[in-house]
Amino acid sequence: MSELNNIALKILENGKGILAADESTGTMTKRLDGVNVPSTPENRLLFRETLFSASSMTECIGGVILYDETIKQVSSKKNKIPELISETGACPGIKVDTGAKVLAGSPDEKITEGLDGLRERLKEYFKLGAKFTKWRGVYSITKNFPSRLSIQSNAHALARYSSLVQECNMVPIVEPEVLMDGEHSAKECYEKTSEVIKKCFEELILHKVDLRGIILKPNMILAGNKSEDKISNEEVAKLTLKCLKNSVPSEVPGIAFLSGGQSEIEATENLNLINKHNDTNFIMSYSYGRALQQSALKFWSKDIKNIEGTQKVFNHRAKMNTLAAQGKWSKDLEI
Ligand code: 13P
């Protein structure tokens, strides 16, 4: 089992973080539509391959989360994608859930699916070179939500997923995402996120998951994006640390935040402050999708053949976040 702990630590060593490039084809199509690039398998690969071959991969990125389509693709230089990633020193990972569906019994909430046949799919991904996996549970905050049913059933699924992944010698990323959409206050986000994370660990322990061999991927504690309640970045950092200190068992080696719709700079600034105030033993890094790729995608869409220019934009964001994961970022480093 210490092998899994080593993988988790390697992914997050020295301020390294995770590039979440595991958008499903539907989500990636939305992203590409947004910048007027046709969503073909070739274009999806070209953008992703451009990032995976960037120089910052070696110093900043410890892991890349792939989608099923990408892990089976071959690069323009005829490299298998997991090999291309491994050659940079980063670990290839794979999203294994099959998406959030309507939760029977509470149809305005979601339950993440994908447990049926998971053991067999994991064996296939392991053979393709995956060292870690991801599963995302998703929760909204309203007056009545997240319900006990949603908290309990998503925690159960995350735990069953995690124990299957460890059985197959990979590190599960456990991602319970409390969404920032809504009118809720930061205090409500703090309370609901604490409840969600505590229930996840209760189920992980029940399912005999080795907590030294997981990475937790939580949301930061933020006020809802339609809330009147505005809190400072300092308060975001302090509330986030307080929440995690009170709800995450000390065996967990690392925490890698999702960006969840924050702007690129906000996600970097908040991570930096979390690390400046970090008085825990947890590594606190990033596992960003949008906050690592947004500017690069916008730049790339203007000329999809401009590989070097796109990589420069991505390298900058990756470097800023790796500095933030060490509490060494400052605004004047932004260009
Ligand atoms: P964002 O950083 O864009 O929230 O994506 C992270 C992720 O992997 C969501 O599952």
Side-chain angles (χ1 to χ4, degrees):
M1 242 346 143
S2 72
E3 192 195 326
L4 296 184
N5 181 251
N6 287 341
I7 295 173
L9 291 173
K10 179 176 180 268
I11 292 173
L12 301 179
E13 72 184 356
N14 304 327
K16 284 186 182 176
I18 299 170
L19 166 60
D22 60 322
E23 299 85 356
S24 64
T25 301
T27 303
M28 196 58 187
T29 300
K30 260 191 249 158
R31 303 259 192 275
L32 291 174
D33 284 351
V35 292
N36 296 316
V37 174
S39 180
T40 60
E42 293 75 24
N43 284 345
R44 292 193 288 272
L45 176 64
L46 179 58
F47 178 65
R48 287 166 164 160
E49 184 187 339
T50 301
L51 306 189
F52 306 161
S53 330
S55 60
S56 57
M57 286 289 299
T58 316
E59 12 158 355
C60 304
I61 304 295
V64 178
I65 317 174
L66 299 167
Y67 182 59
D68 181 75
E69 176 185 67
T70 325
I71 200 170
K72 295 169 180 167
Q73 282 174 319
V74 173
S75 77
S76 54
K77 293 192 179 123
K78 306 281 173 254
N79 281 317
K80 291 182 179 156
I81 294 300
E83 284 171 13
L84 175 70
I85 292 166
S86 300
E87 277 165 18
T88 68
C91 292
I94 179 79
K95 184 230 300 284
V96 300
D97 66 67
T98 54
K101 308 283 159 59
V102 171
L103 174 61
S106 183
D108 292 324
E109 297 186 280
K110 298 274 174 66
I111 177 75
T112 303
E113 294 191 346
L115 288 171
D116 288 350
L118 181 58
R119 183 180 266 127
E120 286 66 41
R121 288 195 292 125
L122 290 173
K123 285 183 192 151
E124 185 194 0
Y125 290 137
F126 183 80
K127 271 197 206 144
L128 289 168
K131 298 274 183 272
F132 72 102
T133 63
K134 179 188 117 173
W135 180 291
R136 170 176 175 262
V138 58
Y139 315 79
S140 298
I141 302 181
T142 66
K143 191 162 160 282
N144 300 316
F145 298 153
S147 64
R148 268 181 57 219
L149 176 61
S150 129
I151 294 175
Q152 175 73 59
S153 51
N154 276 296
H156 175 83
L158 277 162
R160 284 188 56 200
Y161 141 81
S162 298
S163 65
L164 283 166
V165 171
Q166 289 194 336
E167 180 192 85
C168 199
N169 292 313
M170 294 183 283
V171 170
I173 291 190
V174 176
E175 180 179 11
E177 176 175 8
V178 178
L179 295 170
M180 73 185 272
D181 309 78
E183 294 173 5
H184 55 272
S185 63
K187 182 168 173 277
E188 285 170 288
C189 178
Y190 175 89
E191 282 162 5
K192 297 302 174 191
T193 303
S194 303
E195 198 181 336
V196 161
I197 293 179
K198 281 181 188 162
K199 182 58 77 179
C200 283
F201 281 105
E202 204 180 297
E203 287 287 323
L204 288 166
I205 291 165
L206 181 67
H207 286 79
K208 310 229 174 331
V209 173
D210 183 346
L211 301 183
R212 294 163 304 165
I214 73 161
I215 293 174
L216 178 70
K217 175 163 174 167
N219 50 283
M220 295 179 189
I221 303 303
L222 304 164
N225 57 3
K226 296 189 197 87
S227 168
E228 308 275 282
D229 179 37
K230 298 280 173 257
I231 64 164
S232 68
N233 300 101
E234 283 281 345
E235 282 172 292
V236 168
K238 287 188 178 154
L239 282 175
T240 303
L241 280 166
K242 187 172 163 203
C243 169
L244 296 171
K245 253 198 290 195
N246 292 335
S247 50
V248 183
S250 58
E251 294 94 315
V252 173
I255 293 174
F257 294 97
L258 57 96
S259 59
Q262 297 179 73
S263 72
E264 289 182 340
I265 302 288
E266 228 181 324
T268 305
E269 185 162 7
N270 285 335
L271 179 64
N272 187 58
L273 287 169
I274 288 170
N275 278 289
K276 272 195 186 293
H277 296 296
N278 187 5
D279 54 353
T280 71
N281 288 325
F282 303 124
I283 299 174
M284 300 272 188
S285 190
Y286 59 92
S287 176
Y288 290 165
R290 286 161 286 179
L292 265 177
Q293 301 181 71
Q294 225 158 42
S295 307
L297 181 65
K298 208 164 152 199
F299 184 94
W300 175 76
S301 69
K302 290 188 209 127
D303 174 6
I304 66 170
K305 295 208 177 73
N306 189 349
I307 306 295
E308 242 176 71
T310 306
Q311 289 177 335
K312 207 169 147 204
V313 178
F314 172 69
N315 287 339
H316 175 70
R317 234 23 288 135
K319 277 182 196 151
M320 294 299 104
N321 284 311
T322 283
L323 284 172
Q326 300 167 97
K328 292 180 183 164
W329 173 87
S330 67
K331 216 171 221 153
D332 53 331
L333 296 170
E334 296 290 347
I335 35 176

